[in-house]
Amino acid sequence: MSSFTLHAHAKINLFLHVGDKRADGFHALQSLVAFTKASDELSFAPEVGLSLAIEGPFGAGLSCGEDNLIIKAAQCLSRDRGAAIRLTKNLPVASGIGGGSADCAAALRGLSRLWGLASDTAVLQKIGESLGSDVPVCIARQPQWMEGRGEIVTPLPGLPAIAIVLVNPGVGVPTGKVFGALKERRGVGLPLPPVFASAGDLVAYLKDTSNDLEAPARLIAPEINSVLEAIAGEGALLARMSGSGATCFGLFASDDDAARAATAMEARNPGWWVAASHLMA
Ligand code: C5P
């Protein structure tokens, strides 16, 4: 098998409702999850031993050792096979868009291909469950309905095409801390969403939902307030935080609007990471 590259796409929680804390310490969730074109990249090459090299704009300071989710993914699949893995970290870390989980999911997919393991999506999702709440949803990279602590995922019909801008203020927010500061929550009683005929229908649906983690994350990282104000100020159809933050997103009526908004926010806030992208259908 020769070398190949996979993309680990950024995960967006279009909404995220939180329910009660379960006996295992995790909270019950409901979330509509989609992926964007913005991604990390992982390349895989045959090698006798297992190695990980990390590069890219957000690669500095990341561990290449046993505590990296990519190495953990490799060890869950096989203890005695090797691979040379290279991660190009384009997405900000600890930022609510599942970067580490998407990398882990891409490692599970890539290594099972490299090693010729007959692991289908369901098997990889089951393995991913032990590695993090967001890993199962990142295996399939299509719109999904997410429940349980994150491990129950239902594929959804494609979403309408819509432009999105991702904005991160450059502060990492630990997920556990945000859940720990949670007070108000919507609960988890929603039925599966309808099929959306247009981007307008999707936005109207999302306006009746929320990200319950936004309020606690805003207290921990007040920069999120400025980000959401900036996105709304650029005329987004919807401005919301993803996951446990601090990355926020704006949905826009057209690619031109999204590109203009991204350029304006980037120019005014040189320390922010801003990416104009698309939701993957
Ligand atoms: O599974 P993951 O490593 O992403 O979880 C990080 C932390 O976030 C957990 O230790 C837990 O405190 C919190 N969490 C939660 N409920 C979830 C997912 C995460 O309370 N459904």
Side-chain angles (χ1 to χ4, degrees), residues 18 21-22 25-29 101 129 131-134 146 148-151 174-177 179-180:
V18 182
K21 197 172 186 176
R22 315 185 322 180
F26 288 88
H27 291 78
L29 305 174
S101 307
E129 204 180 308
L131 295 166
S133 305
D134 278 342
M146 178 175 169
R149 65 171 262 224
E151 80 284 16
T175 303
K177 202 170 163 190
F179 273 100

Side-chain angles (χ1 to χ4, degrees), residues 108-250:
L108 289 172
R109 288 188 295 117
L111 291 172
S112 67
R113 177 167 147 194
L114 187 75
W115 293 337
L117 309 175
S119 314
D120 62 14
T121 298
V123 168
L124 295 181
Q125 283 172 335
K126 194 71 205 158
I127 296 171
E129 204 180 308
S130 64
L131 295 166
S133 305
D134 278 342
V135 178
V137 82
C138 290
I139 298 280
R141 298 164 300 150
Q142 71 181 89
Q144 287 160 88
W145 186 247
M146 178 175 169
E147 295 177 290
R149 65 171 262 224
E151 80 284 16
I152 305 172
V153 291
T154 308
L156 295 175
L159 295 176
I162 191 157
I164 188 168
V165 178
L166 307 180
V167 186
N168 182 283
V171 284
V173 189
T175 303
K177 202 170 163 190
V178 177
F179 273 100
L182 179 71
K183 291 201 173 68
E184 306 281 321
R185 59 192 80 180
R186 285 277 297 260
V188 293
L190 283 186
L192 280 172
V195 176
F196 302 108
S198 66
D201 283 358
L202 172 63
V203 171
Y205 170 87
L206 292 175
K207 282 191 169 160
D208 281 337
T209 63
S210 59
N211 181 347
D212 290 351
L213 297 180
E214 208 173 278
R218 282 170 182 253
L219 292 177
I220 293 166
E223 296 87 342
I224 293 168
N225 295 312
S226 317
V227 169
L228 287 167
E229 274 165 30
I231 296 172
E234 292 299 331
L237 304 172
L238 182 87
R240 183 166 284 171
M241 191 182 84
S242 179
S244 55
T247 306
C248 299
F249 63 91

